[in-house]
Amino acid sequence: MRVLFATIPEKSHLFCLTPLAWAARAAGHEVRVASTAEFVDVIARTGMTAVAVGSNDGISAAMSANRETQQWDSVNWSELDPPNPTYQEEFDRAQLGAYGCAMYNEPMIDDLVAFARDWRPDLVVWDPLTYAGPIAAGVAGAAHVRSLCFADVWVKKRQLFLKLAAEAPADERARDPLGGWLTERTEQFGGTYSPESTTGQLTLDPLPDSLAIDTGVARAPVRFVPYNGPAVVPAWLRTPPERPRICLSLGASNTERYGGDYVSKSDILESLAELDAEVVAALLPSQVRELGALPANVRVVESVPLHALLPSCSVLIHHGGFGSYANALVHGVPQLTVTTPVADQIYRGAGLERQGAGLLLESASATAGQVRERTARILSDAAFQENSDRLREEALARPAPADVIPVLEKLVAERRTDPWTV
């Protein structure tokens, strides 16, 4: 069969999809991976065949000009059961979410639809913010699957919003921002909007059940397989550390999209150096250039793959991104999440706290001393490692991407339809 993967131009989203794309091709299926023109080189470096659909060359400038938005309450999707939810609060959140999704998707939709009509995929796999995916599936008559690279706060929050909207007085009720936009775009291509436009016909979830969100939608487990881009394992990693190894990794998205990190790397590294440990800062070249002189027990490295580094680490300090979080999860490494409240990052960090496998700090109020104190606590309490090992076993028990391919083949056999026509 022909399988089209569709993703917004974000590395963390693509890297979560990549092992499944490899598995589909290894099973003998034709695979294409579609995103905007600026992103096709990143796709090609995964070994997959890339398709350019539209252009979105202004997105980084727009994000870096609005760094403060990561601190807004309306971008925090982590409070899934607020004590006194109001329709207006959830509407504001839904409206901003729909605006952000449209910013990513609108440049892609027309070209992705044109490619789907021409190539005629049997299956479209889309990352959870690429709502262009189910539209492309409709015009091709393809089955479609949503593959998570988050905890599923998007559907859970939408369910809360729709519930509050149904309960609100008619004269106070506004149009559903996401549903309204998708209805208009779907109808332009001869389709009809349905809840599956936001949930997929099936959702692939890499999170262990103890950390995942049960939204009630059709869901299938899949194992998270780390992929961090092209990488070379450095020689120094072949020697086991003589002291506990602490890894600091702040990801790429804040630097590449928002113009910089939300914590002081130098302050944190200087504070961590007071511990009887080896500190490894795995950073981008641009992040390294921001550092000053550092203590002797701090090693700064560029572009080291986390999946090669983490097995030797006793704790990972990170910014809340899913790639860092999930890499540590499947390697059984306790985590200290130091994050803005954007998206589901508070939810996942708090989930690790509840499971006794990590601690959480919000970056706006976190100090270097607090980071050092929380790190020391994790290193000194064996329960953090024991609980991380338990979650690791739970994560690795999920079916590998290769084992999920028959599930997708069955879905195609059951859910292929006639293509939409205008």
Side-chain angles (χ1 to χ4, degrees):
M1 64 183 180
R2 289 182 169 180
V3 186
L4 173 61
F5 287 78
T7 180
I8 61 173
E10 294 291 347
K11 290 178 182 177
S12 60
H13 295 233
L14 170 66
F15 290 176
C16 287
L17 288 172
T18 296
L20 186 64
W22 288 343
R25 193 166 72 175
H29 301 299
E30 291 185 69
V31 174
R32 300 289 184 272
V33 182
S35 190
T36 57
E38 298 78 15
F39 201 58
V40 291
D41 286 346
V42 181
I43 296 171
R45 287 195 292 272
T46 70
M48 290 292 109
T49 302
V51 178
V53 287
S55 175
N56 205 345
D57 58 356
I59 193 167
S60 293
M63 288 181 171
S64 62
N66 295 278
R67 277 179 53 80
E68 73 283 357
T69 58
Q70 278 215 32
Q71 306 289 354
W72 289 0
D73 181 66
S74 50
V75 303
N76 182 350
W77 292 65
S78 292
E79 194 172 17
L80 304 181
D81 188 23
N84 298 297
T86 69
Y87 168 69
Q88 188 60 51
E89 287 173 346
E90 293 303 326
F91 172 79
D92 291 344
R93 184 171 287 108
Q95 187 174 45
L96 187 60
Y99 172 81
C101 289
M103 181 176 69
Y104 271 116
N105 281 267
E106 279 295 343
M108 298 172 56
I109 292 175
D110 291 345
D111 280 359
L112 187 65
V113 164
F115 177 74
R117 279 183 172 149
D118 178 59
W119 196 59
R120 303 299 287 269
D122 302 289
L123 174 68
V124 177
V125 181
W126 48 287
D127 97 83
L129 299 186
T130 307
Y131 295 107
I135 298 175
V139 301
H144 65 92
V145 171
R146 188 175 60 123
S147 183
L148 292 180
C149 55
F150 299 102
D152 202 3
V153 296
W154 310 105
V155 165
K156 196 68 172 180
K157 270 295 194 185
R158 178 163 176 76
Q159 291 171 342
L160 175 61
F161 165 70
L162 294 176
K163 175 179 180 293
L164 293 173
E167 295 170 352
D171 60 346
E172 297 179 10
R173 197 181 309 150
R175 187 183 82 155
D176 170 12
L178 182 62
W181 166 58
L182 289 176
T183 295
E184 292 177 1
R185 291 301 261 144
T186 298
E187 290 178 349
Q188 288 175 11
F189 300 106
T192 301
Y193 168 81
S194 78
E196 289 181 347
S197 300
T198 59
T199 66
Q201 295 168 340
L202 180 68
T203 292
L204 299 180
D205 194 342
L207 288 184
D209 290 342
S210 58
L211 296 171
I213 300 171
D214 185 1
T215 60
V217 304
R219 191 164 59 117
V222 64
R223 185 187 311 162
F224 175 83
V225 175
Y227 171 72
N228 307 128
V232 176
V233 178
W236 61 267
L237 265 181
R238 301 174 193 166
T239 303
E242 297 179 355
R243 293 181 290 174
R245 178 173 284 164
I246 301 165
C247 176
L248 172 68
S249 176
L250 299 176
S253 58
N254 287 338
T255 293
E256 294 178 349
R257 291 300 198 200
Y258 286 93
D261 296 306
Y262 288 80
V263 295
S264 170
K265 296 176 285 295
S266 295
D267 289 351
I268 288 175
L269 290 173
E270 288 177 7
S271 186
L272 290 173
E274 297 175 14
L275 300 175
D276 184 19
E278 175 192 340
V279 181
V280 177
L283 303 173
L284 299 172
S286 59
Q287 292 170 321
V288 173
R289 288 193 293 270
E290 297 172 1
L291 300 176
L294 293 171
N297 62 334
V298 174
R299 181 196 297 265
V300 177
V301 296
E302 297 180 9
S303 305
V304 173
L306 277 182
H307 65 270
L309 173 58
L310 286 179
S312 68
C313 294
S314 300
V315 60
L316 170 66
I317 303 166
H318 65 89
H319 64 301
F322 188 82
S324 302
Y325 161 90
N327 268 266
L329 183 66
V330 298
H331 286 105
V333 180
Q335 304 181 43
L336 173 56
T337 305
V338 187
T339 184
T340 62
V342 69
D344 68 330
Q345 293 180 183
I346 295 291
Y347 177 86
R348 286 187 285 101
L352 291 172
E353 274 202 343
R354 289 192 299 271
Q355 293 293 324
L359 295 172
L360 170 67
L361 287 170
E362 291 200 41
S363 55
S365 57
T367 66
Q370 288 175 322
V371 172
R372 182 187 66 248
E373 183 273 328
R374 300 303 196 280
T375 303
R377 180 178 161 193
I378 291 172
L379 290 174
S380 64
D381 187 346
F384 285 101
Q385 185 60 65
E386 293 167 2
N387 288 317
S388 296
D389 289 339
R390 172 177 54 81
L391 290 178
R392 175 180 185 271
E393 293 305 313
E394 193 178 342
L396 295 181
R398 299 176 86 74
D403 297 325
V404 174
I405 299 303
V407 176
L408 303 184
E409 293 168 342
K410 182 174 184 291
L411 183 76
V412 169
E414 295 172 347
R415 296 301 302 270
R416 283 230 56 177
T417 63
D418 293 331
W420 296 343
T421 57
V422 180

